[in-house]
Amino acid sequence: MGQTQRQKMDAGEWYSCLDSELEQQRKIAHAATYQHNSTHPGQRDAISPLLRSLLGKVGQNVLIEAPFHCSYGFNICLGDNVFINLGAVFLDSAPIRIGAQTLIGPNVQIYCPQHHKDPGLRAKGLEIARPVEIGDMVWIGGGAIILGGVTIGDGAIIGAGSVVTKNVPAGETVVGNPARPISAASRY
């Protein structure tokens, strides 16, 4: 018997996102993010209970501002003292790992899936997902977009509005579309 679409997704292979099992998982995530986003801030703590139970790992002192959206949730792992500002969108068809003390600005988007380039296969929902690894003490400016397959090293800075398509070494500052390193002299 062949693999399910979920198994293919988890293995990093081409899969169809138009699958009933994956649709059910997305509905669970939508319910959890809905609860988080619609609960009064004084009643939800730093993360609503349903969203916390959905996420793969949540360290200590993690705060996710509302609104927040994720595709599945179970692929998201957050280290201690992570702050995710409002409007974040995490399309977590593959693992998204965010290290300790990382700050994520408003409206940051992380996209693990990539649709097929062939229009016929794309119409059938064929996509592949690549993980995103974000190190410790990273600062991601508002409106940044991080594509699947990217690793961002410890202490890196991603400028506001940047589109990150390639790995970012530890301690590097990148800006622009596509994001490119800037010199230390132009950081201040």
Side-chain angles (χ1 to χ4, degrees), residues 111 114 130-134 138 140 144-153 156-159 162-170 172-181:
Y111 301 151
Q114 175 185 324
R130 301 288 184 231
V132 170
E133 297 272 344
I134 300 171
V138 173
I140 301 175
I145 298 172
I146 301 166
L147 299 183
V150 166
T151 297
I152 299 172
I157 298 172
I158 310 301
S162 296
V163 178
V164 183
T165 61
K166 296 181 179 177
N167 293 345
V168 178
E172 187 80 76
T173 297
V174 297
V175 298
N177 180 4
R180 293 183 176 96

Side-chain angles (χ1 to χ4, degrees), residues 32 35-36 44-64 73 76:
Q35 180 196 60
H36 179 79
R44 82 167 166 255
D45 295 322
I47 305 173
S48 70
L50 193 55
L51 181 58
R52 181 179 291 278
S53 70
L54 178 72
L55 299 178
K57 176 186 175 259
V58 179
Q60 296 181 358
N61 302 314
V62 171
L63 174 60
I64 300 176
I76 300 171

